[in-house]
Amino acid sequence: MKKSAPPRAQMRTHETSHHGFNRNEPYAWLRADNWQEVMRDPTLLDAEIRTYLEAENAYTENEMEDTEELQKALFAELKGRIKEDDSSVPAPDGEYAYATKFVEGGQHPKFVRSKRDGSDPVTLVDGDLEADGKAYFKFGGASHSDDHRYLAWAYDDKGSEYYTLKVRDTTTGQDLEDTIPDTGAGGVWSTDGQYLFYVQVDANHRPSKLFRHKLGTAPSEDVLVYEEQDTSFFVGLGRTQSGRFICVGSGDHETTEVWLIPADEPLAAPTLVAKRETGVEYSVEDNGDRLLILTNAGEAEDFKIISVPLVAQLALPGKSHWVDLIAHKPGRLILSHDVYKDYMVWLERVDGLPRIVVHRFIDGISHSIEFDEEAYSLGIAAGFEYNTTTIRFTYSSMTTPSEVYDYDLATRDRVLRKRQEVPSGHDASEYITRRLMAPSHDGTLVPVSLLYKRSTVLDGSAPCLLYGYGSYGISIPASFSTNALSLVDRGFVYAIAHIRGGKDKGYAWYKNGRREFKKNTFYDFIAASKFLASEGFTAHDRIVAHGGSAGGMLMGACANMAPEAFAAMIAEVPFVDVLTTMLDDTLPLTPIEWPEWGDPIRDKSAYGYIASYSPIDNVEAKDYPAIFALGGLTDPRVTYWEPAKWVATLREKKSNDSLVMLRTNMDAGHGGASGRFDRLKEVALVYAFALKQTGKA
């Protein structure tokens, strides 16, 4: 098979200057001047840019042509592990229960409703039907009115995350004329079902305005309820578990402010809970005559839960009435809280592992739900009901398929409602999961979760896929992945590095991996690679690193800092042009990102620090591992030109002949292909790359 030469992007002078530092960005022209319009209509992309991206796609296809049969085999495996006619456990709400389901061969979910006992099932939204004829379709979720008559549902048909919100009459199955464009993915109902609240996304993809829509009126008549003036804050919307209040939240990555609207008084003005204070986060639930607030106020770094009289709080916003109910305990990070009539339930993480804690209001007694495996994933589904003693949680580990339990808060009985089926078969006893601690550059121990087959020989000969993220306080759970089995069954060690920048070991784990400490994230990941090699789990010429979005930035930074530590890298929608993006406050996520990375526009030291690790700005004339970058044309989070510029820069500067490829999905955004099977084809492609680069193809 004849290999083609890689595309070469034309270099054009594009000079900028900040704080006395001069830069030239020769590939800046790959950013379309009309990128906002392209997000809404991809056909408007400049012809020259399109030609270049399509040339890159053709090059990637040519380079991966010898893996076509492998990709088909991988896809068949991946698909074979999915129960095609799967459905969620119905969530009860009064006389009804709601669920999502898939049919055999279907790409998209159906949103269904039945009677509480499971009788009289009805499909309210058919994702496959709505997606018919569309190159991209994503169901954005649905919410029903309190009387169950109306359903607000949303969809995105460009991949740009501009959702169209519709209202469906469940008695007729027909949509009303109430069609609202450019929203976030969902709406919140007033108690009477006559008003729908939603957040509008502006031309720069910033959710900044809250509107109230009266059913049966034109969207042009919708009332602006709240507008966020600070461009670094995004507006969010929800409703307390009791249904009593509509919550309007505004915030960035470290600060929040919440306003409440009584759900039964939809025309009332929002009431402030507590004024924003830099570095203070809080979320609100209500219980009778009080509010229960999860917060890090008062130096409660790992969060606490306070109680405050409702009347006093709304009459005098602020923290003057706040009294600790669940005190701050260093090292115990409270992640979320759900409040029911007689109980409060929270999810916390201690020593890197999650657990659920149940607190009974009448006597203040608490108990926890814990598990025995070395590493596992745990989640809570709050459900729709408030006056209940039943909660639902999910559990899995890297060897144990996902399990859904109903748990009785009073009796402490648990009932298994669903166990993830793997149609092609899965024997957990054939696999081993472990939790290791890798020493980083400063002696900090970094958790690393492993999955490998019991028959895998650990003498350094096994290839390894090492996954990492490490930003925004997001922790990567050690959960079950049917996809990973395709590598593990071929002798791979599958590893997750729980690096700083997440909250795996508490809030301090996050703080020590952001802003002026961001390089700890990269050092931790490199340390994980070195530790796995030194302990004989793999070798550096067999390690494939994998990360997406901010994890793609991790890939780029580590490729610059320690290219010898990796055989190859997979960077999906990689945030690799950090400095340029943080200098452009017109881009969708830039202002809200400054607390995470620093503000290089106003802060010279932040500029210098970001410039010292920003992947594109630190590519050098040296040997690099093989790199596969993937982007999405309509991605509003990591714009398509970031991976395009990075690949062009690598080709220009690297000194070896390692393979560097770019694939841009011309019909999708940040999440890649929308259909569940189409997405698996992308997984098969990147796994084929990993297998090829480690000699396993």
Side-chain angles (χ1 to χ4, degrees):
M1 180 181 60
K2 183 179 179 180
K3 294 295 184 181
S4 60
R8 290 284 181 176
Q10 187 181 85
M11 299 177 68
R12 303 175 187 175
T13 300
H14 180 85
E15 295 181 348
T16 59
S17 180
H18 295 84
H19 306 294
F21 298 103
N22 299 317
R23 298 167 70 220
N24 180 37
E25 301 174 71
Y27 304 111
W29 64 271
L30 287 167
R31 168 182 165 164
D33 292 335
N34 65 334
W35 63 268
Q36 292 100 330
E37 289 76 19
V38 172
M39 292 287 173
R40 299 174 185 275
D41 184 357
T43 64
L44 298 178
L45 181 66
D46 177 83
E48 186 178 18
I49 298 173
R50 180 177 294 276
T51 297
Y52 174 72
L53 295 178
E54 289 176 344
E56 288 283 5
N57 284 353
Y59 174 72
T60 295
E61 185 175 355
N62 183 268
E63 285 293 330
M64 295 299 292
E65 186 178 1
D66 58 348
T67 67
E68 284 185 359
E69 291 305 313
L70 173 60
Q71 290 180 53
K72 290 177 182 178
L74 287 166
F75 174 71
E77 288 176 16
L78 297 167
K79 187 177 179 182
R81 297 192 191 100
I82 292 178
K83 188 175 186 294
E84 292 200 29
D85 56 345
D86 202 8
S87 61
S88 65
V89 180
D93 187 15
E95 63 178 306
Y96 293 105
Y98 293 84
T100 58
K101 65 178 295 185
F102 289 89
V103 297
E104 189 170 348
Q107 292 255 41
H108 302 278
K110 300 178 187 297
F111 189 72
V112 299
R113 184 179 73 186
S114 65
K115 292 294 181 64
R116 193 180 183 103
D117 62 5
S119 63
D120 300 330
V122 176
T123 297
L124 299 178
V125 179
D126 186 331
D128 289 316
L129 182 63
E130 300 295 342
D132 187 42
K134 296 180 173 68
Y136 181 95
F137 177 85
K138 183 176 182 181
F139 177 50
S143 59
H144 58 274
S145 58
D146 288 19
D147 63 3
H148 303 278
R149 177 172 179 180
Y150 296 112
L151 187 76
W153 68 282
Y155 68 89
D156 168 21
D157 59 5
K158 298 291 188 301
S160 55
E161 299 179 42
Y162 283 105
Y163 286 87
T164 298
L165 187 61
K166 287 179 171 287
V167 177
R168 183 158 294 183
D169 188 332
T170 64
T171 62
T172 66
Q174 300 298 310
D175 287 326
L176 307 184
E177 293 184 1
D178 310 57
T179 298
I180 307 169
D182 301 341
T183 74
V188 173
W189 291 99
S190 60
T191 304
D192 60 11
Q194 294 303 302
Y195 293 91
L196 183 64
F197 292 80
Y198 65 90
V199 175
Q200 185 183 71
V201 180
D202 66 18
N204 283 347
H205 215 280
R206 180 172 163 263
S208 58
K209 296 179 180 179
L210 173 72
F211 283 91
R212 182 180 65 236
H213 173 76
K214 181 174 175 55
L215 220 58
T217 64
S220 60
E221 299 176 16
D222 292 353
V223 176
L224 177 64
V225 176
Y226 176 83
E227 180 175 6
E228 178 55 61
Q229 300 295 332
D230 188 336
T231 58
S232 68
F233 274 50
F234 281 10
V235 175
L237 182 63
R239 197 168 165 185
T240 58
Q241 185 70 26
S242 71
R244 184 175 179 182
F245 291 103
I246 295 166
C247 292
V248 185
S250 189
D252 57 18
H253 291 298
E254 64 175 6
T255 305
T256 53
E257 183 174 81
V258 177
W259 302 72
L260 299 179
I261 301 171
D264 60 358
E265 299 178 40
L267 303 185
T271 301
L272 177 65
V273 175
K275 187 177 180 180
R276 68 189 64 178
E277 181 181 334
T278 300
V280 175
E281 302 174 60
Y282 68 95
S283 58
V284 180
E285 290 289 344
D286 68 284
N287 177 254
D289 60 357
R290 61 181 173 172
L291 297 179
L292 297 175
I293 300 175
L294 174 65
T295 182
N296 64 345
E299 299 184 355
E301 182 175 74
D302 287 323
F303 288 77
K304 63 183 179 181
I305 299 172
I306 66 97
S307 174
V308 58
L310 174 62
V311 173
Q313 184 64 49
L314 298 185
L316 182 62
K319 300 191 290 293
S320 58
H321 303 289
W322 290 13
V323 175
D324 289 359
L325 178 64
I326 306 300
H328 174 242
K329 183 178 179 181
R332 178 195 64 186
L333 177 63
I334 303 178
L335 299 165
S336 62
H337 74 314
D338 299 304
V339 175
Y340 303 91
K341 180 176 179 294
D342 298 316
Y343 294 87
M344 177 167 62
V345 179
W346 68 83
L347 182 66
E348 66 182 30
R349 185 178 293 115
V350 178
D351 294 329
L353 290 177
R355 68 183 179 193
I356 296 169
V357 181
V358 178
H359 178 85
R360 188 165 58 194
F361 289 134
I362 193 170
D363 54 16
I365 293 177
S366 299
H367 70 273
S368 62
I369 309 172
E370 300 183 56
F371 300 87
D372 297 329
E373 292 190 81
E374 280 190 44
Y376 57 84
S377 172
L378 196 59
I380 301 175
F384 297 117
E385 298 184 315
Y386 174 69
N387 187 8
T388 181
T389 60
T390 302
I391 65 165
R392 183 165 292 162
F393 69 84
T394 58
Y395 171 86
S396 77
S397 74
M398 296 180 80
T399 59
T400 306
S402 178
E403 298 173 337
V404 180
Y405 290 90
D406 279 352
Y407 183 82
D408 191 301
L409 302 172
T411 66
R412 306 189 186 186
D413 293 330
R414 68 180 74 174
V415 177
L416 177 65
R417 295 297 307 276
K418 179 183 177 181
R419 177 176 285 119
Q420 180 182 358
E421 294 182 42
V422 183
S424 60
H426 175 70
D427 183 354
S429 67
E430 293 184 0
Y431 303 89
I432 293 175
T433 183
R434 294 184 61 184
R435 174 66 67 94
L436 308 177
M437 291 293 179
S440 193
H441 69 292
D442 57 0
T444 299
L445 295 179
V446 179
V448 182
S449 298
L450 299 184
L451 173 70
Y452 53 90
K453 208 160 187 182
R454 193 173 294 275
S455 59
T456 299
V457 178
L458 302 178
D459 61 357
S461 62
C464 172
L465 188 135
L466 177 61
Y467 184 85
Y469 188 75
S471 291
Y472 306 116
I474 295 173
S475 301
I476 304 301
S479 56
F480 186 71
S481 168
T482 56
N483 291 347
L485 296 177
S486 282
L487 294 179
V488 173
D489 286 348
R490 287 174 170 81
F492 267 70
V493 173
Y494 184 85
I496 301 171
H498 304 281
I499 52 185
R500 279 175 282 188
K503 292 178 184 173
D504 302 80
K505 293 176 71 174
Y507 198 84
W509 200 248
Y510 170 39
K511 289 201 309 183
N512 287 315
R514 67 174 182 176
R515 286 203 293 266
E516 68 270 24
F517 303 110
K518 188 63 209 170
K519 289 183 182 179
N520 284 334
T521 302
F522 317 137
Y523 289 131
D524 288 357
F525 192 76
I526 294 166
S529 172
K530 292 181 177 179
F531 185 73
L532 291 172
S534 68
E535 294 297 305
F537 289 97
T538 186
H540 287 299
D541 61 356
R542 294 173 176 81
I543 297 177
V544 179
H546 186 194
S549 194
M553 176 206 61
L554 172 70
M555 299 299 101
C558 291
N560 290 330
M561 294 169 64
E564 72 286 349
F566 308 95
M569 290 184 159
I570 300 165
E572 300 193 62
V573 290
F575 178 36
V576 285
D577 201 8
V578 185
L579 185 58
T580 300
T581 297
M582 288 299 103
L583 285 166
D584 187 351
D585 58 8
T586 69
L587 291 174
L589 296 180
T590 293
I592 198 174
E593 297 283 274
W594 287 329
E596 181 76 14
W597 314 103
D599 178 0
I601 296 176
R602 299 165 185 83
D603 185 345
K604 182 177 180 179
S605 62
Y607 180 101
Y609 189 69
I610 295 171
S612 72
Y613 69 76
S614 178
I616 285 179
D617 295 280
N618 289 279
V619 175
E620 297 176 322
K622 59 187 177 185
D623 291 356
Y624 277 83
I627 291 175
F628 190 7
L630 300 94
L633 181 60
T634 55
D635 187 348
R637 298 172 184 263
V638 178
T639 47
Y640 74 86
W641 58 82
E642 293 210 24
K645 290 171 63 178
W646 182 44
V647 165
T649 304
L650 283 164
R651 292 226 186 93
E652 170 201 345
K653 294 186 176 182
K654 70 185 183 72
S655 56
N656 62 336
D657 60 356
S658 60
L659 179 63
V660 174
M661 301 189 306
L662 170 68
R663 181 181 182 272
T664 304
N665 190 324
M666 306 300 281
D667 297 309
H670 198 65
S674 57
R676 57 175 176 161
F677 301 135
D678 289 341
R679 174 58 186 154
L680 291 181
K681 292 178 181 177
E682 294 182 339
V683 175
L685 176 63
V686 298
Y687 278 9
F689 171 79
L691 290 161
K692 180 177 180 177
Q693 295 304 317
T694 54
K696 290 287 186 175

